[in-house]
Amino acid sequence: MIVDGEHTFPGPRQTVWDLLQDPEVLAKAMPGARKLHLTGDGVYEGVIRIGVGPVTAAEWSLKVELKDRVEPASYTMLVDSKGALGFTRGSATVNLDESAGGTTMRYHADLSIGGKVAGVGQRLLDQVAKMLTRQGLDALNKELEARLAAGTGGGAK
């Protein structure tokens, strides 16, 4: 499954980069996230709970690794999640470019989904992926706006 698009954040590129490295912010931005911890250099592990269509919500272990980081411009994200109902594996590229409206993020993910959750059908999975992506971007926007309003744009790494 391919998930790609772009989104413009109303803030400086370095601040957006810092948000995308902060496990507390990432946990807020990941729908269904129960916890997310930094366990190594660019490695995050946690638990998420997501249901898709007739497949009821279940907990999934999650590992996200950020590779090929070029601060504050780009990185590759490797994702591996698994639970009783299936798995998701794949990679995504994220590019941050300065733009007139702030910072434009361009992303492209190629994910493989297997197990019972894959049985709900590609169309439903595509719709859910788009919805979860939009929810995550909205959560990142809210966190960015809160930090800019508080004058703490530098954020934690």
Side-chain angles (χ1 to χ4, degrees):
M1 171 173 50
I2 303 294
V3 179
D4 60 3
E6 70 177 52
H7 180 81
T8 300
F9 293 98
R13 183 164 73 159
Q14 184 65 50
T15 303
V16 173
W17 173 272
D18 291 342
L19 284 175
L20 295 171
Q21 311 300 308
D22 185 332
E24 288 182 28
V25 172
L26 293 176
K28 290 178 189 176
M30 296 178 78
R34 294 286 190 230
K35 58 184 172 181
L36 190 64
H37 301 286
L38 184 64
T39 60
D41 185 24
V43 180
Y44 304 85
E45 293 184 20
V47 176
I48 58 174
R49 185 176 177 93
I50 295 177
V52 179
V55 178
T56 59
E59 288 194 346
W60 301 61
S61 65
L62 172 68
K63 181 177 180 181
V64 176
E65 187 172 357
L66 305 183
K67 306 282 264 172
D68 306 322
R69 291 181 286 176
V70 179
E71 184 175 349
S74 64
Y75 59 88
T76 300
M77 177 186 301
L78 304 177
V79 177
D80 185 15
S81 69
K82 53 190 153 226
L85 301 177
F87 68 88
T88 302
R89 286 186 196 101
S91 64
T93 56
V94 175
N95 292 290
L96 300 175
D97 297 306
E98 293 176 0
S99 64
T103 301
T104 299
M105 170 199 275
R106 289 178 181 77
Y107 55 90
H108 177 86
D110 187 356
L111 303 170
S112 297
I113 299 171
K116 291 180 183 177
V117 73
V120 302
Q122 190 64 42
R123 200 146 128 207
L124 180 57
L125 289 174
D126 287 344
Q127 290 172 349
V128 169
K130 288 178 185 172
M131 178 193 69
L132 294 177
T133 300
R134 175 60 43 213
Q135 287 176 0
L137 291 170
D138 288 346
L140 285 170
N141 259 346
K142 287 179 184 166
E143 184 67 25
L144 175 63
E145 290 169 356
R147 286 189 182 196
L148 291 174
T152 57
K157 279 191 176 182

